[in-house]
Amino acid sequence: MADQKATLHLPGQEAIELPILSGTAGYDVIDISTLGSHGYFTYDPGFMATASCQSDITYIDGEKGILLYRGYPIDQLAENANYLEVCYLLLYGEAPTAKQYEEFQRLIMRHTMVHEQLSSFFKGYRRDAHPMSVVCGVIAGLSAFYHDPMDITDQSHRETAAHRMIAKLPTIAAMAYKYSIGQPFIYPRNDLSYAGNFLQMMFAIPCEEYKVNPIVERAMDRIFTLHADHEQNASTSTVRLAGSSGANPFACIAAGIASLWGPAHGGANEACLMMLEEIGSVDRIPEFIERAKDKDDPFRLMGFGHRVYKNFDPRATVMRDTCHEVLDDLKIEDPLLDVAMELERIALSDPYFVERKLYPNVDFYSGIVLKAVGIPTSMFTVIFALSRTVGWMSHWNEMMSDPKQKIGRPRQLYTGAAERDFHTHVEK
Ligand code: SDX
């Protein structure tokens, strides 16, 4: 960290010097942690220019469209690594050796089953309940099965919690889907790959043998990798803030799932596909483009724009290639892809979107691929949550391993009533 300083001139006070800290890459930051002692807070709703923590896990350069997991570019990982390798990399900081990978895979596969009583949690939900609500509730419930004996100050306990979460999310996600269609839950199969096991829990039925389609398996694994982590996004920041109080990690992941559900965040892939279905045909695109520009119309082009990427989302680039591969390999003619391609072409040439640097993001293409492999729209964000669990756990563990860790407690600019005396209007 450089020893540069920022000088701040406050009314009626001596100029104060604030340390400027530098990381490996990206913007330097001004350490304002002592500002309170000078009678001021900073104000930054939505944290547009605020670093909440220091992290070694993921780096994004929004201007250049760069995404690195522990220094490795996302396109290289999507091409050359599988999701469990990426999980190991995010959790431990280095790619696994063949031996480490084998041990990690064995560990994860040993935790794929859930307590048999957990299946009762689903019965309280209507069959048509949104799967994100079901998964959020069941994961929160899982904290009851792993609470008392867990010591989150013990690294080995945190590691086991991460293994359990990575292993059980696919099982619970598939259970939510099976419950919604009235089919029996399918147990995990530890002889299959992580993605293959998820597909068989989703689509196998007890009365027939299920064969994993390798094309779909590879596409699924790549979708998991592309969504595995993304710095301090809303849901990851939620997990960090919930975890900063020492809360049970399963409850923290449930909080992250709740945050991810929003259409401005992880719910965008589901919203994007619903938007493409609403547009329906290429000739209706201009009408929706005009609506997206209309300040009085809340409609936005779902799958476009990003808080950080002011260039192409590098995940969208990989997802676009995967999208074409899957549709070509599975020989699927999807009119929604035609609408998506035309929408992308128009949006990328329209000054409104170009000026605001609103490029397609990862959600724009992931929805089409998920639909192509048979995943229902309502399950899209559940798959995003499944993929992102390793990122959430990696950030939670990084925070809990920090000896200087303290509870997160933002301040505010108070604009309410000044102090006044209370007089009741209620007859006692
Ligand atoms: C994810 O943070 C992450 O890393 C998230 C994520 C991850 O991996 O964790 O990458 C996953 O959440 C991707 C984003 C998915 N969301 C969507 O696709 C929903 C549609 N996108 C928008 O809601 C929006 O772009 C956000 C929320 C993603 C970002 O919004 P910002 O940064 O707060 O920007 P803004 O809302 O202030 O918009 C700036 C301008 C505004 O117009 P002006 O006020 O300048 O006139 O751009 C406009 C907005 O109206 N705008 C859009 C638009 N997105 C922004 N106009 C039309 N369609 C859009 N999609």
Side-chain angles (χ1 to χ4, degrees):
M1 304 284 186
D3 53 5
Q4 293 172 289
K5 303 264 187 218
T7 305
L8 188 59
H9 296 277
L10 296 170
Q13 294 189 37
E14 291 286 306
I16 55 175
E17 294 206 320
L18 299 169
I20 292 177
L21 310 178
S22 302
T24 315
Y27 289 12
D28 287 349
V29 297
I30 299 171
D31 180 347
I32 55 152
S33 49
T34 60
L35 203 53
S37 63
H38 296 276
Y40 284 85
F41 295 143
T42 57
Y43 181 66
D44 183 17
F47 311 116
M48 302 286 280
T50 295
S52 60
C53 64
Q54 174 179 322
S55 179
D56 301 343
I57 299 171
T58 293
Y59 174 67
I60 299 173
D61 181 324
E63 294 304 324
K64 298 192 184 108
I66 290 172
L67 169 58
L68 309 177
Y69 290 168
R70 299 284 189 178
Y72 295 107
I74 188 65
D75 55 329
Q76 293 184 27
L77 292 171
E79 189 58 38
N80 305 309
N82 70 29
Y83 178 67
L84 278 190
E85 271 180 283
V86 168
C87 287
Y88 187 98
L89 174 67
L90 287 169
L91 282 171
Y92 298 108
E94 295 299 335
T97 61
K99 192 169 179 322
Q100 287 168 332
Y101 177 77
E102 195 184 319
E103 171 56 14
F104 183 68
Q105 187 179 39
R106 188 189 64 76
L107 265 175
I108 295 299
M109 287 307 171
R110 255 195 47 224
H111 288 291
T112 49
M113 285 177 71
V114 293
H115 195 293
E116 200 61 15
Q117 274 176 241
L118 202 76
S119 50
S120 311
F121 278 63
F122 293 81
K123 294 190 177 64
Y125 287 96
R126 289 167 41 131
R127 294 281 179 176
D128 63 354
H130 194 291
M132 278 298 276
S133 168
V134 176
V135 171
C136 188
V138 172
I139 292 294
L142 210 51
S143 58
F145 290 79
Y146 306 107
H147 187 66
D148 301 333
M150 180 167 51
D151 172 7
I152 56 173
T153 63
D154 181 324
Q155 175 61 28
S156 65
H157 286 219
R158 292 201 296 271
E159 204 171 347
T160 303
H163 296 160
R164 282 183 168 134
M165 219 80 75
I166 293 165
K168 294 181 194 312
L169 250 294
T171 308
I172 291 167
M175 290 170 83
Y177 173 58
K178 284 301 195 188
Y179 182 74
S180 73
I181 57 175
Q183 285 189 1
F185 297 141
I186 299 294
Y187 285 110
R189 272 184 49 191
N190 294 341
D191 60 313
L192 296 175
S193 72
Y194 188 87
N197 178 39
F198 174 64
L199 289 168
Q200 75 92 19
M201 291 189 291
M202 283 284 290
F203 298 121
I205 50 176
C207 28
E208 285 168 20
E209 192 199 352
Y210 179 78
K211 293 287 286 164
V212 178
N213 177 323
I215 296 160
V216 176
E217 182 181 24
R218 181 75 188 117
M220 204 75 248
D221 189 86
R222 190 173 284 182
I223 285 174
F224 292 160
T225 290
L226 292 176
H227 290 80
D229 192 49
H230 216 238
E231 266 190 15
Q232 307 309 321
N233 58 84
S235 53
T236 300
S237 300
T238 301
V239 171
R240 277 181 174 259
L241 196 54
S244 72
S245 70
N248 179 294
F250 289 87
C252 296
I253 294 298
I257 292 171
S259 170
L260 187 74
W261 192 3
H265 188 12
N269 51 19
E270 176 182 2
C272 179
L273 212 86
M274 291 163 75
M275 174 191 74
L276 291 174
E277 285 164 351
E278 188 186 357
I279 294 173
S281 63
V282 168
D283 56 4
R284 291 196 64 204
I285 291 175
E287 167 198 336
F288 284 85
I289 292 273
E290 287 318 303
R291 283 188 57 193
K293 297 177 188 175
D294 179 356
K295 288 287 161 261
D296 298 327
D297 187 332
F299 174 79
R300 286 194 165 180
L301 284 187
M302 302 317 282
F304 282 79
H306 197 278
R307 171 58 60 76
V308 177
Y309 289 124
K310 301 309 174 192
N311 194 322
F312 239 82
D313 178 339
R315 301 167 299 176
T317 309
V318 177
M319 204 71 250
R320 190 175 195 270
D321 297 345
T322 304
C323 189
H324 285 290
E325 276 168 37
V326 168
L327 292 180
D328 293 349
D329 292 340
L330 297 181
K331 306 215 179 347
I332 292 173
E333 292 291 318
D334 187 342
L336 289 185
L337 185 67
D338 301 337
V339 175
M341 292 296 94
E342 182 59 8
L343 183 61
E344 178 196 35
R345 187 192 65 76
I346 295 176
L348 292 183
S349 56
D350 184 304
Y352 177 92
F353 297 94
V354 173
E355 282 155 18
R356 291 167 179 77
K357 301 182 177 179
L358 300 174
Y359 295 95
N361 55 48
V362 65
D363 297 297
F364 184 67
Y365 296 103
S366 57
I368 296 162
V369 175
L370 290 171
K371 180 175 180 290
V373 301
I375 306 278
T377 309
S378 63
M379 283 292 291
F380 287 5
T381 311
V382 171
I383 287 172
F384 193 150
L386 183 171
S387 313
R388 185 56 56 88
T389 293
V390 64
W392 290 331
M393 287 309 291
S394 302
H395 283 274
W396 174 78
N397 185 52
E398 181 177 68
M399 175 187 68
M400 297 306 291
S401 313
D402 178 356
K404 299 199 297 294
Q405 188 269 328
K406 53 168 70 100
I407 189 167
R409 205 291 188 200
R411 308 309 297 265
Q412 64 173 11
L413 174 67
Y414 176 66
T415 52
E419 187 175 348
R420 51 184 171 167
D421 294 329
F422 179 73
H423 302 291
T424 180
H425 303 293
V426 176
E427 284 299 312
K428 300 291 190 292

